[in-house]
Amino acid sequence: MQLRISHLSKSFQANAILSDVSFETNDTEFVAIVGPSGCGKTTMLSIIAGFENATSGSVSLDGRLLSSAGSDRLMIFQDSALFPHLTTRENIEFGLKHKGMTSHHRRQLACSALDAVGLGPFLHYFPFQLSGGMRKLVEIVRATILTNPAPLLLCDEALGQLDALTRAHTQDVIQRLWMESPRTVLWVTHDLEEACYCADRIIVMSPRPGTVTAELTIPFPRPRDSMLRTSVELQVLRRRLFDLLDAAEPDESERRPA
Amino acid sequence: MKARWFGVLTTMGLLILWIAISGLRLTPELFLPSPARVIGSLWINWPDIVYDTAATGGRALLGFAAGSMLGLGLGVLMSWNRLWFGFLDVVVESVRPVPAVAAIPFMILWLGPTLLAQLLLITLSCGCVVAVDVYIAITTVNPLMVRAAQCLGASRSALYREVLLPIIVPRLSGLRIAAALSFAITVAAEFAGAQWSLGGLIMRARRSLDTETIMLAMLIVGVLARATDLTIRSILRRLSRWAEPTTLALYGLERREHLS
């Protein structure tokens, strides 16, 4: 899916949150978005998802102008958005069900998808009985199980609440799922290493009002493995990313109190 | 569970207190009839009382059931969009605070002292309580649930059916309040015209200062209401097995059966 954001701006009353954001993604591209806290990344994702309206500018997907929420885009939030009253399997099946898949077919699909990420034994657990990492994994499977057409995946700090080890593991699972069924991903994160490790391309945003200040293409071939995390190449990229973010930051004297 | 035994203990304590006060003749027999006399009244009047109990219980439960359905419908509509909210909020919120008992004369004027009039009264009162409860419960569901359902392709009605309504079940305390209310209004409505009912029994007994029968009718209403409440609680609990154990459960005050 080709996403095109052109001249997107958003302000709440007199507060400008986003100012003239433009970028495009290619089909099945994994794009990470990094930027200082409060630069409007979440607002931008909400506008793309159709939960909020832009003040000006437009969002289009494969040439279609988007205005309201639809099942061609799927958001994963920082907090768990699993349905608490449904078991793991029922949560996974929810999207398939509303695509009109028969119950037998979707059950098979859900079970094999859960087995593939090691959640097979937790089929009948309710979300509150799962650990935070498992819950995130279920949510990711619930999103990536949807194919033909695969919805645009919008992730807002999706792994933000996980510990470092679980996070690394989950990143690997996401890469695997993404390679098995490629789709366009917008991946908002604070974690620069995560951005370098997961993405094909990184978009750097400025402090509020947010706009695109730089783009970085990540050259590492896939599949990437954890050796890459500590490699010099990745650390050099991470350093560059950090410098780009730092350069965009206003001087201490100019900054208004947060 | 300990909590249950405390309940038995409280009941026994109250019973002993009642026996003691009436046995020691601290008050005239008329003011507080002894348990023995109340049982005696049951012995004499039991064929009537069985019928009266069934009539009152049926009326209250029927009114409560109809009121719950009405309240569910109103609550869902109020949360559906601002237009419905605008229409209904003012009606529900003005009917709810007016004591239903105050409307009894009108009900009788319009419909006569009929079952329909009584049921209408109970249904409207319960409906307003449940409507507010359902509306508040729906509108305070985590917005991420709504967004996730939208993203996953659920229609508006599927969102309600499969996500919002099941999620609010553990918080529907309004059902219990409405059930208790239905008994209160049933008895009041029966005073005004249902001769063969517990309310009617109290009115008949009042004329002859037959306080033990009045006491008996009160006790029966209490038992019916308590049984209804326990039933509702157990149904809600069964439908809430997915819910995170609450703070109360941690202190052992609320029994919850969980899968693991």
Side-chain angles (χ1 to χ4, degrees):
Chain A
M1 272 180 173
Q2 230 172 349
L3 178 74
R4 173 177 297 190
I5 314 278
S6 37
H7 307 294
L8 198 70
S9 296
K10 174 79 177 177
S11 38
F12 289 112
Q13 282 130 27
N15 269 335
I17 309 290
L18 290 171
S19 119
D20 198 27
V21 176
S22 298
F23 66 88
E24 283 176 34
T25 68
N26 298 322
D27 196 27
T28 70
E29 193 181 15
F30 200 125
V31 179
I33 298 169
V34 298
S37 186
C39 76
K41 294 167 294 191
T42 298
T43 307
M44 184 173 76
L45 283 197
S46 293
I47 292 171
I48 298 172
F51 300 145
E52 285 180 48
N53 291 320
T55 309
S56 65
S58 67
V59 180
S60 67
L61 198 58
D62 288 338
R64 279 177 306 110
L65 225 54
L66 300 177
S67 56
S68 60
S71 53
D72 51 356
R73 286 148 286 154
L74 210 160
M75 188 131 158
I76 296 182
F77 309 86
Q78 184 170 5
D79 294 324
S80 170
L82 288 179
F83 300 122
H85 62 295
L86 300 181
T87 61
T88 303
R89 181 173 59 71
E90 290 167 335
N91 262 291
I92 306 281
E93 285 183 25
F94 193 91
L96 300 173
K97 182 177 175 188
H98 291 287
K99 279 183 95 175
M101 193 179 282
T102 60
S103 97
H104 177 70
H105 191 181
R106 62 175 192 253
R107 183 164 302 198
Q108 270 183 336
L109 215 60
C111 289
S112 61
L114 282 169
D115 279 336
V117 297
L119 283 173
F122 302 98
L123 218 61
H124 299 297
Y125 280 52
F126 288 113
F128 88 92
Q129 296 167 310
L130 302 174
S131 71
M134 288 177 180
R135 277 202 284 261
K136 218 23 124 193
L137 216 48
V138 174
E139 223 173 323
I140 288 161
V141 173
R142 183 171 77 172
T144 52
I145 203 168
L146 297 170
T147 50
N148 297 322
L152 168 70
L153 205 54
L154 305 163
C155 300
D156 186 11
E157 291 288 348
L159 308 186
Q161 288 182 347
L162 304 185
D163 62 275
L165 216 59
T166 314
R167 186 190 282 222
H169 167 70
T170 313
Q171 288 163 2
D172 288 333
V173 174
I174 288 168
Q175 176 181 239
R176 209 180 70 221
L177 292 173
W178 179 79
M179 288 177 73
E180 280 167 12
S181 100
R183 65 192 66 221
T184 312
V185 180
L186 277 194
W187 185 268
V188 165
T189 180
H190 279 129
D191 183 339
L192 302 187
E193 186 188 292
E194 180 172 290
C196 297
Y197 183 71
C198 293
D200 296 325
R201 185 156 59 103
I202 300 176
I203 289 174
V204 182
M205 287 178 73
S206 69
R208 189 159 63 199
T211 190
V212 177
T213 52
E215 283 188 21
L216 219 59
T217 305
I218 309 296
F220 309 127
R222 292 182 192 270
R224 300 168 183 171
D225 63 26
S226 47
M227 290 302 285
L228 180 67
R229 287 178 198 282
T230 46
S231 70
V232 177
E233 291 87 341
L234 190 133
Q235 294 310 324
V236 168
L237 254 179
R238 185 177 163 185
R239 179 73 228 181
R240 252 185 78 198
L241 199 54
F242 186 81
D243 289 341
L244 282 170
L245 279 168
D246 209 34
E249 199 80 3
D251 284 342
E252 213 51 54
S253 55
E254 294 168 29
R255 199 190 310 195
R256 286 189 298 173
Chain B
M1 213 57 190
K2 275 178 203 155
R4 180 180 292 179
W5 289 109
F6 285 133
V8 173
L9 223 59
T10 313
T11 316
M12 299 287 279
L14 285 172
L15 207 61
I16 290 167
L17 196 68
W18 182 15
I19 293 169
I21 293 175
S22 57
L24 293 172
R25 300 252 182 272
L26 295 176
T27 57
E29 191 73 84
L30 180 70
F31 287 14
L32 187 70
S34 69
R37 296 186 67 133
V38 172
I39 293 167
S41 161
L42 178 63
W43 183 254
I44 300 165
N45 299 315
W46 74 265
D48 280 356
I49 285 174
V50 169
Y51 181 86
D52 292 342
T53 304
T56 296
R59 217 176 254 122
L61 290 182
L62 212 61
F64 168 66
S68 301
M69 298 317 284
L70 175 72
L72 185 68
L74 287 174
V76 165
L77 278 181
M78 279 165 75
S79 68
W80 194 265
N81 58 36
R82 298 198 60 80
L83 197 71
W84 277 113
F85 179 79
F87 278 132
L88 295 174
D89 179 54
V90 76
V91 180
V92 168
E93 286 298 345
S94 2
V95 170
R96 200 168 55 95
V98 177
V101 185
I104 290 177
F106 273 112
M107 284 294 172
I108 292 177
L109 196 64
W110 293 339
L111 299 166
T114 56
L115 182 66
L116 182 67
Q118 294 146 5
L119 282 180
L120 206 60
L121 209 62
I122 305 162
T123 303
L124 281 179
S125 311
C126 290
C128 288
V129 172
V130 175
V132 174
D133 196 42
V134 168
Y135 168 72
I136 290 175
I138 287 179
T139 49
T140 51
V141 168
N142 180 355
L144 288 191
M145 299 295 110
V146 179
R147 293 187 163 179
Q150 275 178 336
C151 285
L152 292 166
S155 64
R156 200 80 202 289
S157 64
L159 166 71
Y160 271 79
R161 228 178 27 248
E162 294 175 31
V163 178
L164 294 178
L165 292 181
I167 285 182
I168 65 170
V169 166
R171 294 192 284 149
L172 287 183
S173 48
L175 281 181
R176 294 176 55 197
I177 297 171
L181 186 67
S182 78
F183 279 97
I185 294 170
T186 301
V187 173
E190 286 169 349
F191 281 170
Q195 207 180 354
W196 301 107
S197 63
L198 291 177
L201 180 70
I202 291 174
M203 288 311 265
R204 273 175 278 145
R206 207 177 73 160
R207 279 181 222 120
S208 51
L209 282 180
D210 179 4
T211 49
E212 48 260 37
T213 303
I214 296 177
M215 186 74 99
L216 177 67
M218 284 165 61
L219 283 175
I220 295 174
V221 173
V223 170
L224 284 179
R226 170 79 178 158
T228 310
D229 188 54
L230 287 179
T231 311
I232 294 171
R233 267 200 251 182
S234 114
I235 293 170
L236 291 183
R237 200 159 42 221
R238 195 152 304 170
L239 291 174
S240 312
R241 278 187 309 139
W242 51 268
E244 211 150 340
T246 59
T247 319
L248 277 181
L250 294 180
Y251 287 99
L253 292 176
E254 181 83 29
R255 279 182 314 125
R256 295 255 181 145
E257 298 111 32
H258 284 296
L259 288 180
S260 65

